[in-house]
């Protein structure tokens, strides 16, 4: 079955048959370019009166997509076909944004033009600064992000018509350009510092660093090693297939909601500790372990089901091999600690020893538990000077392009309809209101 035109392809896989209440139903099987086939159950209810049941969507593909591919067994992550480590080594975040949005890497002229467009959108409406004074100083920056990004739709009416491709494009550019500005404002507000305006002479990531760490009373020079490292961290987080926040953006967008509202919904979902918050948990765990000699004790505890303790930054729903992002993150971590004079950080020593011991341990080998991206990212971001509350915000800045690319793909996909799951009802059957 061809995914887009519903006509059977020449090499289409054999259909699946399922028997429900003695009735045999044939369901088409679709193939992607790589990865598992999918059984198209769209006609199941009509044919049998039954729904499928899959809480957590562990066996359910919700869309067809050509943006990102993960092979969890191999430990491979591809953006538009390119392996993540090659992108992290050879290009920059803004070029990756272009790749995710347009499907191909930009040539020189395309890159210059794209960079110019994005930098032209980095400022936010001046009136937005007044929003911030309404938030409590001690508000979590993710709370500020959810509110402020949602409020963008009240300022940029000219890019909320989702049926106009040009408006969709402008909204995408605005979102990628303004997210670092809003994130830096959230950070500055929490510190009681004045906001620092964007500088369009700097590259995307250097500009973000200066908006976070510069102050008006003295010059600030961006450390190119830190800027490159953060740029790479942004590349690693840019997209990750149909994860919880991306699915949230798609679901919100399926009703026709405007893109700013959809991204705000994605940020809210990312905030949860099971999604964007794990790097903070991994850092706290390393702090709790404290010294290398305590590592065996904690590995033992992680294997003991009654302890309720897990090695944070280890294991993944999809990766049953080393998370390819974790490999790049480990290298980046060493570079950042070296550049910031923190290479003797005791937490790094604990992390290296923990990884060494766990990777040799039968429990972790048998369960295919490997370090994930969050294992080294907390140490790295902390060394750059970010407080833990900002970790998930940085994730949101980077993931915005993935959300936007997936949202655009969904709007442009003729197969997509409003997302409307069904349920297995287990409540009271119909009953009459008690007579007076
Ligand atoms: N430490 C110790 N044991 C573990 C761990 C761990 N970190 N992770 C999984 N296990 C065990 C688990 O107890 C279970 O054992 P058994 O089969 O004997 O019951 C088995 O491995 C499978 O675990 P699961 O919880 O069924 O696997 P899952 O796919 O539902 O969960 C996970 C994946 C990421 C939630 C889990 O590995 C975990 O809790 N890891 C720690 C938290 C973490 O680092 N999260 C960040 C994920 S990467 C972020 C992103 O990509 O967005």
């Amino acid at each position: 079955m061809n995914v887009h035109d519903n006509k059977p392809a020449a090499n289409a896989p054999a259909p699946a048959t399922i028997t429900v209440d003695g009735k045999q139903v044939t369901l088409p099987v679709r193939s992607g370019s790589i990865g598992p086939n999918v059984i198209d159950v769209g006609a199941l209810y009509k044919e049998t009166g039954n729904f499928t049941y899959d809480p957590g969507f562990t066996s359910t593909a919700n869309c067809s997509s050509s943006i990102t591919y993960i092979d969890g067994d191999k430990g491979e992550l591809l953006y538009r076909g390119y392996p993540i480590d090659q992108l992290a080594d050879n290009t920059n975040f803004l070029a990756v944004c272009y790749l995710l949005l347009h499907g191909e890497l930009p040539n020189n002229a395309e890159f210059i033009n794209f960079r110019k467009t994005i930098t032209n959108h980095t400022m936010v409406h001046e009136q937005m600064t007044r929003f911030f004074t309404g938030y409590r100083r001690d508000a979590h920056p993710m709370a500020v992000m959810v509110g402020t990004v949602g409020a963008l739709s009240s300022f940029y009416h000219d890019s909320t018509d989702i049926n106009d491709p040009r408006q969709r494009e402008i909204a995408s550019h605005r979102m990628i350009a303004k997210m670092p500005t809003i994130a830096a404002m959230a950070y500055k507000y929490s510190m009681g510092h004045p906001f620092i305006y964007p500088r369009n002479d700097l590259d995307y990531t250097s500009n973000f660093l200066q908006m976070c760490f510069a102050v008006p009373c003295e010059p600030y020079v961006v450390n190119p090693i830190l800027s490159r490292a953060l740029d790479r961290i942004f590349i690693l987080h840019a997209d990750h297939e149909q994860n919880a926040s991306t699915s949230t953006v798609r679901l919100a967008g399926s009703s026709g909601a405007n893109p700013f509202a959809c991204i705000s919904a994605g940020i809210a979902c990312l905030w949860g500790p099971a999604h964007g918050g794990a790097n903070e948990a991994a850092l706290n765990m390393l702090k709790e372990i404290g010294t290398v000699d305590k590592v065996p004790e904690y590995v033992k505890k992680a294997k003991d089901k009654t302890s309720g303790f897990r090695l944070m930054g280890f294991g993944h729903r999809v990766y049953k091999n080393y998370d390819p992002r974790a490999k790049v993150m480990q290298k980046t971590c060493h570079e950042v600690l070296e550049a910031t004079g923190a290479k003797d950080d005791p937490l790094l020593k604990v992390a290296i020893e923990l990884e060494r011991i766990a990777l040799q341990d039968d429990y972790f080998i048998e369960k295919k538990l490997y370090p994930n991206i969050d294992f080294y990212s907390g140490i790295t971001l902390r060394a750059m000077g970010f407080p833990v509350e900002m970790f998930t915000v940085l994730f949101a800045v980077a993931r915005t392009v993935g959300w936007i690319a997936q949202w655009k793909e969904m709007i442009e996909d003729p197969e997509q309809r409003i997302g409307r799951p069904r349920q297995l009802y287990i409540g009271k059957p119909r009953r009459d209101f008690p007579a007076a």
Side-chain angles (χ1 to χ4, degrees):
M1 182 73 63
N2 182 307
V3 165
H4 290 293
D5 60 13
N6 277 345
K7 289 192 195 106
N11 57 351
T17 6
I18 119 164
T19 308
V20 184
D21 289 338
K23 183 182 175 194
Q24 208 177 51
V25 182
T26 302
L27 299 168
V29 176
R30 295 177 171 203
S31 290
S33 44
I34 33 175
N37 290 342
V38 299
I39 302 170
D40 183 342
V41 297
L44 191 70
Y45 178 59
K46 200 170 113 213
E47 297 285 337
T48 71
N50 284 248
F51 298 138
T52 55
Y53 184 67
D54 184 18
F57 308 115
T58 53
S59 296
T60 299
N62 176 45
C63 59
S64 53
S65 178
S66 50
I67 302 174
T68 295
Y69 174 73
I70 303 172
D71 185 327
D73 293 324
K74 265 206 241 164
E76 186 173 68
L77 169 62
L78 311 175
Y79 291 168
R80 300 285 191 182
Y82 294 108
I84 189 70
D85 51 323
Q86 292 183 21
L87 290 169
D89 281 347
N90 296 302
T91 189
N92 60 63
F93 178 67
L94 219 46
V96 168
C97 290
Y98 185 97
L99 172 70
L100 290 169
L101 286 174
H102 297 281
E104 295 297 337
L105 285 165
N107 62 30
N108 230 6
E110 286 164 339
F111 180 72
I112 290 168
N113 194 28
F114 185 65
R115 189 179 56 193
K116 188 163 166 260
T117 306
I118 297 298
T119 44
N120 280 345
H121 283 294
T122 48
M123 284 202 304
V124 292
H125 195 292
E126 190 60 18
Q127 223 174 307
M128 284 206 93
T129 57
R130 288 191 228 141
F131 266 68
F132 284 82
T133 49
Y135 297 117
R136 275 173 57 140
R137 279 281 172 205
D138 59 355
H140 194 288
M142 282 299 273
V144 175
M145 294 298 287
V146 172
T148 312
V149 173
L152 284 174
S153 48
S154 66
F155 286 95
Y156 300 105
H157 293 267
D158 58 341
S159 54
T160 52
D161 178 358
I162 63 154
N163 298 313
D164 177 346
R166 179 65 187 136
Q167 292 205 23
R168 291 203 294 270
E169 189 177 27
I170 295 172
S172 307
H173 293 156
R174 283 188 167 140
M175 207 78 74
I176 293 166
K178 294 184 198 308
M179 195 62 100
T181 312
I182 297 171
M185 287 168 90
Y187 175 52
K188 285 299 195 188
Y189 183 74
S190 73
M191 305 266 290
H193 285 185
F195 298 135
I196 302 292
Y197 283 97
R199 269 183 49 194
N200 288 355
D201 60 318
L202 294 175
D203 65 69
Y204 187 88
T205 308
S206 300
N207 173 48
F208 178 60
L209 284 170
Q210 76 88 26
M211 287 191 292
C212 287
F213 297 121
V215 285
C217 42
E218 58 187 57
Y220 175 80
V221 181
V222 179
N223 180 333
I225 299 175
L226 298 193
S227 169
R228 177 69 192 116
L230 187 59
D231 199 75
R232 216 183 284 139
I233 292 172
F234 283 169
I235 292 175
L236 298 180
H237 287 88
D239 196 40
H240 211 223
E241 208 224 59
Q242 307 309 321
N243 56 83
S245 56
T246 302
S247 300
T248 301
V249 170
R250 277 185 178 261
L251 190 59
S254 76
S255 74
N258 76 69
F260 303 105
C262 296
I263 299 302
S264 174
I267 297 172
C269 178
L270 184 75
W271 192 0
H275 193 359
N279 49 16
E280 186 176 339
L283 186 71
N284 290 338
M285 176 195 71
L286 295 174
K287 279 189 198 155
E288 188 187 317
I289 298 174
T291 49
V292 166
D293 57 303
K294 295 254 188 64
V295 167
E297 181 194 319
Y298 277 83
V299 170
K300 195 169 159 215
K301 203 169 146 192
K303 296 192 288 183
D304 173 7
K305 287 274 181 321
T306 60
S307 74
F309 172 78
R310 283 186 170 198
L311 287 191
M312 299 315 284
F314 257 75
H316 196 273
R317 169 64 63 82
V318 182
Y319 294 118
K320 300 302 167 198
N321 203 326
Y322 211 104
D323 179 342
R325 302 168 301 170
K327 284 190 190 144
V328 183
M329 185 56 87
Q330 188 195 43
K331 199 170 86 185
T332 305
C333 180
H334 284 286
E335 283 170 18
V336 167
L337 295 196
E338 181 81 35
T340 53
K343 67 179 185 332
D344 294 325
D345 185 341
L347 296 193
L348 179 65
K349 294 205 171 88
V350 172
I352 292 170
E353 181 65 359
L354 188 57
E355 179 180 349
R356 190 187 69 78
I357 295 192
L359 290 181
Q360 291 172 357
D361 192 292
D362 284 347
Y363 173 95
F364 291 88
I365 294 169
E366 276 160 24
K367 296 188 189 303
K368 300 185 176 167
L369 299 170
Y370 294 85
N372 60 49
I373 189 170
D374 293 320
F375 192 63
Y376 284 103
S377 62
I379 311 176
T380 315
L381 296 175
R382 189 182 72 145
M384 285 181 165
F386 289 106
V388 283
E389 302 79 47
M390 280 298 286
F391 290 1
T392 321
V393 175
L394 298 174
F395 194 157
V397 169
R399 184 55 60 84
T400 295
V401 63
W403 290 329
I404 273 289
Q406 301 265 353
W407 170 81
K408 271 182 88 225
E409 183 179 63
M410 183 205 62
I411 300 283
E412 287 158 18
D413 180 352
E415 280 203 329
Q416 281 299 319
R417 305 155 70 191
I418 185 167
R420 177 44 171 103
R422 303 305 301 266
Q423 64 174 7
L424 177 66
Y425 177 68
I426 53 169
K428 297 268 188 239
R430 186 195 182 283
R431 50 183 168 163
D432 288 326
F433 193 80

